[in-house]
Amino acid sequence: MIEKINNVSLNLDYYKGVDYYCDGSIEDEILEIVKTNNEDDFDKIIEEKNSWEIMYHLSKQRENIISWFDFNDTMTVLEIGSGCGAITGVLAQNSKKVTCIELSKKRSTINGWKNGKFNNIEIIVGNFQDIEPNINEKYDVVTLIGVLEYAESYIKSDTPYVEFLKIISNHLKKNGSLLIAIENKLGMKYWAGCKEDHVSKYYESIEGYTNSKGVKTFGKPELENLFKRAGFSNYKFYYPYPDYKFTETIFTDKHLPKVGELGNNLRNFDNNRIITFDEGKAFDTIIGNGLFPYYSNSFLVELKR
């Protein structure tokens, strides 16, 4: 069954009638915002509402993680885990076609209203494992923005993260790009007193997720090992700062931050935090010892087939 929201198509053939992943009633408020306001008004609404969830889902700054990429109007894109459409619009604006896969119908509905001006977006609502076997197309770009860390929750395998990457590689064209954004389990902010982003526990990722399950992030060497086990030998790391969610600068191995450059660190909008030390000074020490890539708060990685 196809449902239209403005120009966006929602494919509900795989939807089982229940949204298992939801931020609660705030999603109803976000839906009302995108239905009754223009995108130009979102910044003012974010300021007035002073809500982490509204800022996270509607801030234009979310697009910074991907807007720089060299898209063109011949490219097709598969966005896995499209959520409320924080980056769907910038993908649609810069490519030929965007196919989204999203578990939540409500979030897909928000996406449809938010990005309804585009006529090149299809959102397939349902579980990735149910949908994926019926996707025959290969794409120029596949995005996993804040998605890889949940693989063990929906991929039935002894090695869910490796298996997930292998499955996705089957949907990439030759020379296609897989773009992954994910938190670093050893990110500086976690040492300095921020709670782990997904399970809201202090030092949980640093201690190896011994008190939680269903979600997991990785350090840089661990990610490199996953990529190689999944058959990807060609990959490039980027380091979004302060993180991939609200990126201001993207560093590379050829252009790393300099001592004194990282001063915008006290950012923890969604959780209370403690302050164990001065992150800026600690970053200076890390940078001076050539270790920034291992303590960056987030990674963005481009993998090529």
Side-chain angles (χ1 to χ4, degrees):
M1 184 178 80
I2 302 296
E3 181 177 311
K4 295 286 287 189
I5 300 177
N6 295 318
N7 294 314
V8 175
S9 297
L10 266 62
N11 181 335
L12 301 176
D13 290 347
Y14 302 90
Y15 181 58
K16 296 182 178 179
V18 179
D19 285 353
Y20 296 101
Y21 188 84
C22 179
D23 280 339
S25 60
I26 192 67
E27 291 189 4
D28 294 319
E29 186 174 355
I30 294 171
L31 177 58
E32 186 63 23
I33 289 170
V34 297
K35 287 176 70 174
T36 58
N37 294 274
N38 295 320
E39 192 172 7
D40 292 341
D41 298 325
F42 288 173
D43 283 346
K44 181 180 178 181
I45 293 169
I46 289 169
E47 184 177 355
E48 291 174 348
K49 295 290 185 179
N50 193 28
S51 161
W52 155 253
E53 291 84 2
I54 291 174
M55 180 174 70
Y56 177 73
H57 291 296
L58 298 184
S59 173
K60 192 76 172 174
Q61 194 174 353
R62 290 288 309 283
E63 296 180 355
N64 290 352
I65 190 62
I66 209 78
S67 59
W68 59 274
F69 189 76
D70 189 20
F71 293 100
N72 64 62
D73 59 9
T74 68
M75 284 183 170
T76 57
V77 179
L78 177 63
E79 183 188 6
I80 300 175
S82 49
C84 295
I87 68 163
T88 306
V90 73
L91 295 175
Q93 183 177 352
N94 293 292
S95 62
K96 179 181 179 181
K97 183 180 73 171
V98 181
T99 301
C100 304
I101 298 178
E102 170 55 41
L103 185 62
S104 164
K105 184 184 178 186
K106 180 169 287 185
R107 291 190 171 194
S108 299
T109 302
I110 292 170
N111 192 349
W113 282 101
K114 182 177 183 292
N115 295 300
K117 64 183 179 183
F118 298 105
N119 60 11
N120 60 344
I121 299 172
E122 179 191 19
I123 306 173
I124 307 175
V125 184
N127 188 294
F128 174 79
Q129 277 200 302
D130 296 332
I131 296 167
E132 183 275 329
N134 297 301
I135 296 178
N136 300 314
E137 184 174 351
K138 292 184 181 291
Y139 296 85
D140 297 289
V141 178
V142 178
T143 67
L144 295 177
I145 309 299
V147 173
L148 177 62
E149 56 264 41
Y150 293 102
E152 68 181 66
S153 295
Y154 50 81
I155 299 295
K156 297 177 181 178
S157 169
D158 292 335
T159 56
Y161 299 96
V162 173
E163 185 63 26
F164 189 29
L165 292 173
K166 286 181 177 180
I167 291 170
I168 291 169
S169 71
N170 294 328
H171 298 287
L172 276 175
K173 291 181 181 178
K174 185 177 181 180
N175 297 320
S177 294
L178 169 57
L179 300 176
I180 298 174
I182 188 171
E183 292 85 355
N184 177 10
K185 70 185 292 184
L186 301 176
M188 179 65 75
K189 68 179 186 179
Y190 293 147
W191 298 94
C194 286
K195 293 180 180 179
E196 200 279 344
D197 285 50
H198 307 89
V199 299
S200 297
K201 296 177 182 178
Y202 293 116
Y203 307 116
E204 180 65 7
S205 62
I206 294 170
E207 294 178 352
Y209 293 98
T210 53
N211 297 302
S212 56
K213 59 182 180 178
V215 63
K216 187 180 296 182
T217 60
F218 305 91
K220 184 179 179 183
E222 290 175 313
L223 282 175
E224 291 177 313
N225 183 47
L226 286 179
F227 300 155
K228 291 171 183 176
R229 289 168 62 195
F232 289 96
S233 58
N234 184 2
Y235 50 83
K236 181 177 181 180
F237 274 80
Y238 299 85
Y239 310 103
Y241 175 81
D243 56 30
Y244 84 80
K245 294 172 182 173
F246 293 100
T247 302
E248 294 183 354
T249 306
I250 296 180
F251 295 100
T252 69
D253 287 311
K254 291 183 178 180
H255 180 75
L256 292 170
K258 298 178 177 62
V259 170
E261 193 171 354
L262 305 184
N264 188 11
N265 298 304
L266 292 178
R267 300 161 60 93
N268 200 58
F269 305 114
D270 57 331
N271 276 306
N272 293 326
R273 65 166 294 175
I274 56 177
I275 299 176
T276 58
F277 54 73
D278 186 317
E279 288 170 73
K281 291 179 180 178
F283 264 132
D284 285 348
T285 302
I286 292 297
I287 292 167
N289 282 272
L291 295 173
F292 174 76
Y294 298 96
Y295 291 92
S296 173
N297 287 324
S298 296
F299 302 119
L300 175 69
V301 194
E302 180 184 9
L303 295 83
K304 305 281 286 189
R305 285 199 65 184

